[in-house]
Amino acid sequence: MKDLAKRFPQNPLLVPGDIPPSHPGLEVACLLNPGVFKYNNKTWLIVRVAERPQQQEGIISFPILTETGIRIMEIPKNDPELDASDARVINYKGTDYLTTLSHLRLVCSEDGINFYEPEHYPKLIGEGILQAFGIEDCRVTMLDGRYYLTFTAVSENGVGVGLRTTTDWKHFKSHGMILPPHNKDVAIFEERINGKFYMLHRPSSVDIGGNYIWIASSPDGLHWGDHRCIVKARPGMWDSARVGAGAAPIKTEKGWLEIYHGANEKHQYCLGAFLLDLEDPTRVIARTEEPIMVPTASYELSGFFGHVVFTNGHLVKDDGDTITVYYGAADEFVCAADFSIHEIVSLLK
């Protein structure tokens, strides 16, 4: 497999110990999957911070949000009604729970490499019953002078997509859940096409169908329709089990270029790309057969959940060809790599 990624030698750029926990009694288990944007001439990441209590021998403990604050649940590991075979999700008495509780934190950098948490910017945490298990994997789109933040909202009711908007990153308007369960991986295009908003999203199916990338349009960025399936998982290939959008597609002369993630049945995540028609983004022009990035570095192979590279944020540099992709590695670290648009396009078929 050809790997086009030019990894930053400073990787990982952020590790769990770089960010203090949000509450006493919790520890940061993972920093991962940042949305990326430019603001005040700096590079900003809105990082998913996954927290949990310090683990004690013989007990699995995890936090959930309630109306009165964070509640810690503790379950003996030998409980016959506990299934803890997955590091990310456990099942107890027929109900699924996340082993960590995620919220979103802002960090910024003058050079795109050394990030710090600035003062006087809020943490973004779950709000209400539909975000009781946390909010995750935020994608950021700048459109019409406003930042659109789409994120995964998790609760016992399922996994859906929430939306908040801001102009200054200090005051936010919540628009609730714009796509109900089960859905995630929403990336809104950074310009209107023929007057419409467009988004990529990923409904999930456990019976008929599969975990495929869809596209939808909207007159106002809030109410979405005309849903169409455009990219499917491919049996026997690196993206055989599921596919999902990364950040907003990049406008090029040849079409809208989207970097996406795909996983196989062993839950190994790689990155690939596809191209959409400029005037009709429901039409897929081309797609890479092989991934453009494969987990190979030690920090990608080993961590909270190994063999994973996953992106939902990037920046296009001033040369018009270089994309800096910020990504989560092994579901634990924040890293970066440069790609060439020309090289990616050359692999499209």
Side-chain angles (χ1 to χ4, degrees):
M1 293 184 180
K2 189 171 184 180
D3 191 319
L4 301 182
K6 300 174 180 66
R7 292 164 175 80
F8 282 23
Q10 299 88 349
N11 282 347
L13 304 184
L14 290 169
V15 301
D18 292 334
I19 299 291
S22 62
H23 289 82
L26 296 180
E27 63 178 5
V28 176
C30 313
L31 293 180
L32 66 163
N33 305 351
V36 185
F37 59 98
K38 283 284 191 179
Y39 181 65
N40 285 346
N41 297 315
K42 297 178 182 177
T43 298
W44 292 69
L45 307 181
I46 183 163
V47 181
R48 174 181 167 189
V49 180
E51 299 176 306
R52 64 183 178 185
Q54 289 190 349
Q55 299 299 293
Q56 303 174 26
E57 187 174 351
I59 295 175
I60 287 182
S61 57
F62 54 90
I64 60 173
L65 282 175
T66 69
E67 292 181 357
T68 57
I70 291 178
R71 173 189 170 200
I72 304 299
M73 295 188 65
E74 296 184 341
I75 304 170
K77 288 185 177 180
N78 60 2
D79 192 310
E81 295 187 277
L82 172 68
D83 179 357
S85 57
D86 191 318
R88 302 164 298 176
V89 183
I90 65 170
N91 184 280
Y92 183 60
K93 294 185 176 180
T95 299
D96 288 327
Y97 297 94
L98 298 184
T99 57
T100 60
L101 177 65
S102 291
H103 67 281
L104 306 173
R105 299 270 274 275
L106 290 164
V107 297
C108 63
S109 171
E110 284 76 19
D111 59 9
I113 298 171
N114 299 289
F115 286 89
Y116 60 93
E117 193 169 12
E119 296 181 349
H120 311 305
Y121 286 87
K123 304 176 181 67
L124 276 69
I125 64 173
E127 299 175 349
I129 191 172
L130 296 181
Q131 300 174 14
F133 290 1
I135 56 177
E136 308 173 352
D137 299 351
C138 182
R139 289 147 172 91
V140 179
T141 291
M142 177 60 167
L143 186 59
D144 298 339
R146 187 176 302 275
Y147 293 96
Y148 289 75
L149 287 65
T150 54
F151 53 86
T152 304
V154 190
S155 74
E156 64 179 346
N157 300 297
V159 177
V161 179
L163 173 68
R164 298 182 197 180
T165 55
T166 186
T167 57
D168 61 5
W169 292 97
K170 292 185 177 179
H171 305 90
F172 297 83
K173 182 176 181 180
S174 176
H175 302 275
M177 185 171 280
I178 58 171
L179 292 177
H182 286 278
N183 210 317
K184 63 193 319 186
D185 298 338
V186 163
I188 297 176
F189 287 57
E190 293 198 297
E191 70 176 66
R192 300 183 194 223
I193 304 171
N194 300 319
K196 296 180 181 179
F197 290 79
Y198 278 87
M199 69 150 65
L200 301 174
H201 65 102
R202 209 285 298 282
S204 299
S205 172
V206 295
D207 296 314
I208 297 175
N211 298 319
Y212 306 148
I213 297 174
W214 290 57
I215 194 167
S217 60
S218 168
D220 57 9
L222 299 177
H223 304 90
W224 298 87
D226 194 18
H227 299 271
R228 306 185 193 190
C229 182
I230 57 171
V231 172
K232 294 185 176 182
R234 297 177 288 191
M237 298 184 67
W238 62 274
D239 52 4
S240 57
R242 66 190 67 85
V243 292
I250 300 162
K251 191 175 186 178
T252 72
E253 292 181 353
K254 296 182 180 296
W256 294 100
L257 179 65
E258 174 64 14
I259 298 174
Y260 75 99
H261 66 265
N264 59 22
E265 286 76 7
K266 295 180 180 179
H267 307 294
Q268 297 168 327
Y269 282 74
C270 301
L271 302 182
F274 59 85
L275 198 66
L276 303 174
D277 184 84
L278 285 175
E279 294 299 318
D280 179 10
T282 67
R283 188 169 74 88
V284 179
I285 299 172
R287 182 176 178 183
T288 54
E289 290 186 352
E290 299 294 332
I292 63 172
M293 186 178 191
V294 178
T296 54
S298 59
Y299 48 82
E300 298 163 356
L301 297 173
S302 179
F304 187 79
F305 197 83
H307 294 271
V308 170
V309 290
F310 184 104
T311 185
N312 44 276
H314 59 242
L315 293 173
V316 180
K317 292 189 175 179
D318 293 339
D319 64 12
D321 182 65
T322 304
I323 313 168
T324 298
V325 171
Y326 292 90
Y327 66 97
D331 271 8
E332 187 169 341
F333 312 109
V334 173
C335 302
D338 283 339
F339 292 81
S340 161
I341 291 177
H342 177 75
E343 288 183 355
I344 294 174
V345 170
S346 71
L347 295 183
L348 293 166
K349 296 182 180 180

